[in-house]
Amino acid sequence: MTEAVRIITEQVRLRVRRDGVDLAADNVLAEQYVRDEVRRYTERALGGSMPLIPESTRRLVR
């Protein structure tokens, strides 16, 4: 697991805990959470504060 994937995964987990949702019961919501966090991470990485994502966004979302 790359550092980028680890950070994105942790952000999704934090958001799930904060929002009190069950992503196992809602695949659409799960995909949205992951896409949101990938987008946020990418924005920070493009700003130079995080390592760039070596995998494609599609592969990360899976």
Side-chain angles (χ1 to χ4, degrees):
M1 179 183 298
T2 67
E3 182 67 8
V5 173
R6 187 194 64 74
I7 291 168
I8 292 166
T9 301
E10 183 59 27
Q11 289 304 116
V12 170
R13 288 180 180 149
L14 289 171
R15 187 172 170 195
V16 166
R17 282 187 223 121
R18 182 186 67 228
D19 295 351
V21 296
D22 179 9
L23 296 185
D26 189 341
N27 288 339
V28 173
L29 184 60
E31 185 174 327
Q32 186 60 52
Y33 270 43
V34 172
R35 286 188 185 282
D36 288 350
E37 294 308 323
V38 167
R39 182 182 42 76
R40 286 184 184 120
Y41 182 92
T42 301
E43 288 169 357
R44 292 191 310 260
L46 290 174
S49 64
M50 309 291 266
L52 293 175
I53 299 172
E55 298 90 356
S56 71
T57 301
R58 185 176 187 164
R59 183 173 169 205
L60 270 174
V61 170
R62 276 188 252 168

